[in-house]
Amino acid sequence: MTILVTRPEPAASELASRLRTLGKLAWTLPLIEFTPGRDLEHLPQKLAALQPGDLVFLLSQQVVLFAHPALERQGITWPKALDYYAIGRSTSLALHTVSHLKVDYPHARETSEELVRLNRLQQVKGKRALILRGSPGRELLAETLIARGVEVEYCECYQRCEKQYEGAIEGRRWRDRGITTLVVTSGEMLQQLFALFPPIDRREWLLHCRLVVVSERLATQAAELGWQDIDVADGADNDALLRALR
């Protein structure tokens, strides 16, 4: 099994390193990188406008990597009187590590579907919610909260930027290295990976690779693009991906 990890840095290199320690051949091809979001400088004011018991949602670890330094630069700490929710364990741990706050998260899967099922989010009418995220993604969380009577505001803490590669060159490189397994952690990156390579590389190599993804939704999307050998990891963090790749 020769593995290509397409998730962003630094998570890509960390996963590849752990796979090599287990004796597997692994390389990285990060498909996106992150830059500061348009709303980052307004985060302190947005947090200050919330009342005790209002809700703050963090939809990825990248939120913490950009938001926490932005607050530190202005001498501000995460308000203790708010209720914090993360998309999954790794994001929860990232915020808890820098703030020592309790951060609730779904234990089943790192998805918006699981997040909105949390018991504490069933009776939230009249509260306000601040959703900290990257450049626009899915709207399921906001739509569900609004339907439950919550006033929702977004804060774009980072932007995803597509990394540019020469598809024909990359196709030769990864075919020569005998890549048989691909790790993809978002729908955006799946589309990007599919579009990157010339049609001949897709037909002869790419779509024959085993694909490891992080949700059933992604697996469905991959099947529609033409992949047949698809595995769904039990989470989106590197520990879960490692379990799937073993």
Side-chain angles (χ1 to χ4, degrees):
M1 180 165 58
T2 310
I3 303 159
L4 186 63
V5 180
T6 67
R7 72 180 321 176
E9 294 293 7
S13 290
E14 189 222 353
L15 180 56
S17 174
R18 291 172 70 181
L19 287 164
R20 290 184 202 116
T21 302
L22 294 172
K24 299 187 185 297
L25 290 169
W27 282 275
T28 63
L29 182 72
L31 293 173
I32 60 173
E33 57 191 350
F34 301 110
T35 58
R38 289 170 294 193
D39 301 332
L40 197 55
E41 63 186 89
H42 304 301
L43 176 59
Q45 298 93 295
K46 288 176 183 281
L47 285 170
L50 297 174
Q51 300 296 314
D54 279 343
L55 319 171
V56 179
F57 293 88
L58 299 95
L59 298 192
S60 75
Q61 291 181 71
Q62 294 300 326
V63 164
V64 184
L65 293 177
F66 281 94
H68 185 66
L71 294 178
E72 279 192 318
R73 282 193 295 272
Q74 298 195 37
I76 293 166
T77 57
W78 294 89
K80 288 183 170 58
L82 304 175
D83 290 345
Y84 292 89
Y85 297 88
I87 192 73
R89 178 180 175 273
S90 52
T91 304
S92 168
L93 191 58
L95 181 59
H96 177 74
T97 300
V98 298
S99 69
H100 306 295
L101 294 168
K102 181 182 185 295
V103 187
D104 209 350
Y105 66 96
H107 291 254
R109 284 193 178 277
E110 298 190 13
T111 64
S112 298
E113 285 86 350
E114 292 297 331
L115 183 55
V116 297
R117 289 195 186 110
L118 289 174
N119 284 338
R120 292 176 63 202
L121 292 176
Q122 302 311 305
Q123 303 295 326
V124 285
K125 187 174 181 180
K127 291 183 181 287
R128 295 175 70 187
L130 179 61
I131 298 177
L132 310 184
R133 65 175 186 175
S135 35
R138 299 178 69 209
E139 304 297 336
L140 176 77
L141 173 60
E143 288 169 357
T144 305
L145 291 171
I146 290 166
R148 291 176 186 172
V150 177
E151 183 184 326
V152 173
E153 186 177 10
Y154 286 113
C155 182
E156 183 191 279
C157 294
Y158 66 92
Q159 293 185 32
R160 299 176 190 85
C161 301
E162 186 175 320
K163 286 178 73 79
Q164 299 300 316
Y165 295 101
E166 182 59 57
I169 292 171
E170 295 301 325
R172 278 197 301 277
R173 184 205 311 272
W174 302 119
R175 290 178 73 165
D176 288 348
R177 287 186 176 174
I179 295 295
T180 59
T181 301
L182 307 164
V183 178
V184 182
T185 54
S186 80
E188 175 187 7
M189 287 186 270
L190 185 67
Q191 290 286 354
Q192 204 177 323
L193 184 69
F194 181 82
L196 173 61
F197 298 104
I200 189 167
D201 286 322
R202 275 186 234 148
R203 280 197 310 274
E204 293 183 356
W205 162 68
L206 188 71
L207 292 173
H208 296 283
C209 288
R210 174 191 177 209
L211 189 65
V212 177
V213 296
V214 298
S215 70
E216 295 294 345
R217 186 171 53 85
L218 257 182
T220 301
Q221 191 177 336
E224 287 168 355
L225 288 170
W227 271 280
Q228 294 182 316
D229 188 0
I230 306 165
D231 287 326
V232 182
D234 60 15
D237 59 16
N238 278 347
D239 290 340
L241 290 167
L242 208 58
R243 287 191 292 274
L245 290 162
R246 279 172 125 157

